[in-house]
Each structure stands twice: as structure tokens, then as C-alpha cells.
Amino acid sequence: MEDKPVKLKEKVYYARIHHNTVTYDVCDLVVQSVRDTYFAATDKRDKHRYLFSYNDINKLIFFDREDALKIVLDAQANRPKKYQYEEE
């Protein structure tokens, strides 16, 4: 059996970015299940469970909170503007 990039009970950070709902968060997750192509992790605060592919590591899932926070702050600063008003 090959080693997986995440291990059970490991803490990871999810850079949750949803431009449509203007949601920019860093979620603290604990890995609960590890499978061949995906893993599941549970949010420490609201107990919401998320499924992730191993391809999401270093894109949405990070092992360092600072890295996740940087991605979220960059996305928030560069978020698409819904309405453009012309100044008079």
C-alpha cells in the first residue's frame, strides 16, 4: 500500500473561496477518512464534513495555516466586481 499525502487525525486547512456568496474563510479541518483517490475531513467548529481529492492539496488544502490564509486574502483582494459604477 502506497503512502497517502494525508494521515488520519492530521490537521489541515481549507481555503474556502466562494465568489458568488462572498465567502472567504480558512477552515481548520481534521482528516477523518483516507481512501485511494480522496479523503474526508471535518471542520472543528461546525462539524461540517468535506470531501477532497488529493489534487486539491496545495490548491485548496494546506498543511500550514499561513499558506491557506495567503490564498484567501489574495482571492478576496482580487475578487470580481459584480457592479461597475461610473463616477461623475
Side-chain angles (χ1 to χ4, degrees):
M1 185 168 127
E2 71 181 61
D3 286 337
K4 306 286 189 260
V6 294
K7 295 177 178 31
L8 286 176
K9 305 294 181 190
E10 184 173 18
K11 184 186 259 191
V12 294
Y13 301 94
Y14 171 31
R16 188 169 67 162
I17 300 166
H18 298 288
H19 294 294
N20 292 340
T21 59
V22 193
T23 304
Y24 301 93
D25 289 332
V26 175
C27 300
D28 294 355
L29 307 178
V30 176
V31 176
Q32 298 292 325
S33 301
V34 178
R35 299 290 184 248
D36 290 338
T37 58
Y38 67 92
F39 64 98
T42 303
D43 191 311
K44 288 178 69 175
R45 283 185 298 145
D46 65 6
K47 305 302 181 202
H48 187 98
R49 185 168 241 186
Y50 298 94
L51 289 175
F52 298 103
S53 167
Y54 291 118
N55 297 331
D56 293 331
I57 295 173
N58 293 326
K59 294 176 187 166
L60 296 175
I61 297 297
F62 299 91
F63 298 103
D64 185 11
R65 187 170 176 24
E66 298 279 329
D67 295 337
L69 184 59
K70 182 181 182 311
I71 296 294
V72 168
L73 292 176
D74 287 346
Q76 190 173 13
N78 298 317
R79 70 176 174 234
K81 297 190 188 308
K82 287 190 175 186
Y83 303 103
Q84 299 256 342
Y85 295 107
E86 293 182 19
E87 291 186 24
E88 296 181 29

